[in-house]
Amino acid sequence: FREPHDVGADAKRCALVYVNDLHDAVPLIDEAPTYARIVRSKAVLRGVIALALEAVDAAYAEPEDAEEFAGRVESGIASLTAGRERTPIVWANQAISQEFDAVAARAEGRMSDGSVRTGLSKLDAMTGGLHPGELAILAGRPSQGKSALALWLALCAAKADAGVLFVSLEMTTQGLMERALASESGVNSFRLRTGKIRREEWPALTYAGTALSKLPMAFVDRGARHVSEMRGVTRQAKRKAPLSLVVVDYLQLMHGDRHKGDSREREVASVSAGLSALAKDEQVAVLGLSQLNRKVEDRAEPRPTLGDLRESGSIEQDADAVFFIWGSDGTSGKTTTECNLTVAKQRGGPLGDVRLHWDKSLTRFAVLDDREEPGRAVAREADDTPRRPFNGVDFRTKIAGGDRGD
């Protein structure tokens, strides 16, 4: 015989235990960021697994262009690790707010939208600088100064604290630094190359070397010939430091997506499209150098047109801005000359010419003052903004003042 059992009392006790357990199991609001990171981490891992499975299947299918395929895989992984959506959506209220901020900044003489100053005052006035997310093309015939001008623009941008990546497929890094050292020190580049340095020039070289070593600027002179490799080095540079400008010297030395039977023109078209996509995806300004067709030299006035861009008509379509450098006496033995920088295309801006003075021995450019008589034009320093002082001292001012030492 069993004593009567109060089932209701047991149920009440169990309910109380359960309620107490619920209180302990509820996550604290303070731990929400930790849980969010866990969810995000699991999502990234699932994305990596999905991409890896897709990549394995695609690799077994043996794609025609292995480098392009590898670049797509890398882009997919990068989009996951960067924590951004594959196709970001920006609503109208966000976009118009950003645009008003940018317009207000320009009205106050600032470039808050991340635009990069070129150091050429008239060009900046016409274009507003080089803009993030846009591809600009600087084109010219050989010996017309396009590589020298690209380096000058890059140095001016770096002096304004813009991170610069200079990818040279033609010159070595040492050759570029030789030009940069000549530009900053005022010592003839030929004497730098031959080692015939005067005693009084060493302090200027020391100041210039210190200045250049502190610029937010990186160089690549090998590899990066394929668009996918260019993406890789750009992301590598961005992981090290903020990046605003990528200079590519030059397009025709790059390789793009090319399938069996494709023409060189189609390959160059894929290069320009790839650089345009690189600018948008990484939100940097890309300045790509390009050659011009030889036929431009056969005309009475060798003023280039967009149709003169070499090997591809798609370059002018992909580019947001196109500049031509022409009219210099680059093949003569003169150390200084004058040249034209033509703004042949830009979206929503004026077109026209900027007359420049080019000191070839020092790799320096300056805007010519149009108010002077022809042949007596006065060259202004190209960068009207104050130069960056190092350790509180403007090294050029100090050198100009005669403080050179022995």
Side-chain angles (χ1 to χ4, degrees):
F1 177 78
R2 300 179 61 185
E3 295 182 2
H5 183 67
D6 189 350
V7 177
D10 288 343
K12 290 179 181 179
R13 284 195 296 272
C14 290
L16 288 173
V17 171
Y18 178 70
V19 169
N20 288 331
D21 290 343
L22 281 179
H23 178 270
D24 294 335
V26 173
L28 298 176
I29 191 65
D30 293 342
E31 299 296 326
T34 300
Y35 298 135
R37 283 193 294 270
I38 293 173
V39 172
R40 171 62 187 158
S41 176
K42 299 299 183 182
V44 170
L45 292 175
R46 288 193 300 272
V48 170
I49 292 171
L51 280 173
L53 292 174
E54 292 176 10
V56 168
D57 292 339
Y60 275 119
E62 297 185 359
E64 290 186 19
D65 192 330
E67 291 184 346
E68 188 273 337
F69 167 71
R72 284 192 285 111
V73 173
E74 182 185 14
S75 297
I77 296 295
S79 67
L80 290 171
T81 56
R84 62 186 183 212
E85 296 177 4
R86 297 261 186 106
T87 306
I89 298 174
V90 180
W91 295 100
N93 61 337
Q94 297 172 305
I96 196 63
S97 176
Q98 294 169 359
E99 178 59 19
F100 264 102
D101 290 342
V103 171
R106 295 185 201 114
E108 296 171 3
R110 297 182 289 111
M111 290 187 177
S112 68
D113 61 346
S115 296
V116 178
R117 293 187 182 276
T118 66
L120 300 174
S121 55
K122 188 173 180 181
L123 181 63
D124 283 338
M126 293 176 66
T127 64
L130 302 174
H131 302 279
E134 295 187 358
L135 169 64
I137 297 295
L138 173 61
R141 289 292 297 158
S143 301
Q144 290 295 302
K146 61 179 179 295
S147 295
L149 179 58
L151 179 60
W152 171 263
L153 299 180
L155 288 170
C156 290
K159 290 175 190 174
D161 293 316
V164 178
L165 174 64
F166 198 109
V167 181
S168 176
L169 306 179
E170 187 176 36
M171 294 182 63
T172 65
T173 297
Q174 184 177 357
L176 292 170
M177 293 312 298
E178 180 183 288
R179 287 185 171 186
L181 193 57
S183 177
E184 290 302 303
S185 67
V187 178
N188 187 298
S189 59
F190 176 75
R191 292 206 297 278
L192 291 177
R193 181 174 289 269
T194 58
K196 298 178 180 178
I197 311 299
R198 297 167 183 165
R199 184 168 178 262
E200 65 272 14
E201 290 173 335
W202 281 109
L205 286 172
T206 301
Y207 274 106
T210 301
L212 290 170
S213 68
K214 296 182 180 181
L215 292 181
M217 194 170 181
F219 296 86
V220 174
D221 64 359
R222 64 192 66 183
R225 288 185 176 270
H226 196 278
V227 174
S228 60
E229 295 174 326
M230 191 70 68
R231 283 182 176 272
V233 297
T234 299
R235 288 175 177 144
Q236 181 182 351
K238 286 187 70 176
R239 286 194 293 268
K240 298 288 185 180
L243 188 63
S244 301
L245 173 64
V246 177
V247 181
V248 182
D249 185 10
Y250 57 89
L251 266 70
Q252 282 77 14
L253 291 178
M254 289 187 64
H255 301 298
D257 301 336
R258 189 174 186 178
H259 304 288
K260 189 174 182 179
D262 283 352
S263 64
R264 174 60 181 164
E265 286 75 12
R266 188 161 186 172
E267 183 179 18
V268 173
S270 73
V271 170
S272 64
L275 291 180
S276 178
L278 171 65
K280 292 181 175 64
D281 293 344
E282 301 301 327
Q283 277 302 292
V284 296
V286 175
L287 178 64
L289 276 60
S290 175
Q291 288 188 342
L292 293 176
N293 291 318
R294 187 182 297 274
K295 65 181 181 181
V296 71
E297 299 175 350
D298 299 331
R299 294 198 288 264
E301 183 188 18
R303 173 183 287 273
T305 65
L306 293 174
D308 294 322
L309 289 167
R310 187 172 175 181
E311 291 186 320
S312 178
S314 66
I315 295 178
E316 62 177 284
Q317 299 172 16
D318 295 324
D320 298 280
V322 178
F323 311 130
F324 294 130
I325 182 169
W326 62 282
S328 70
D329 194 8
T331 58
S332 71
K334 298 178 181 178
T335 58
T336 61
T337 185
E338 296 178 6
C339 59
N340 297 300
L341 181 63
T342 298
V343 181
K345 175 189 176 180
Q346 68 164 323
R347 304 187 193 279
L351 309 180
D353 293 339
V354 179
R355 191 71 176 156
L356 299 177
H357 173 87
W358 174 25
D359 189 329
K360 293 184 288 184
S361 66
L362 299 179
T363 315
R364 288 180 180 174
F365 288 83
V367 177
L368 289 172
D369 193 334
D370 296 328
R371 293 169 298 179
E372 298 293 329
E373 298 176 11
R376 298 182 60 250
V378 177
R380 295 198 309 266
E381 280 294 336
D383 47 344
D384 295 335
T385 55
R387 296 190 175 277
R388 296 178 62 194
F390 295 92
N391 297 324
V393 178
D394 186 327
F395 66 94
R396 282 202 173 183
T397 303
K398 191 169 183 180
I399 293 172
D403 186 5
R404 292 178 176 268
D406 293 323

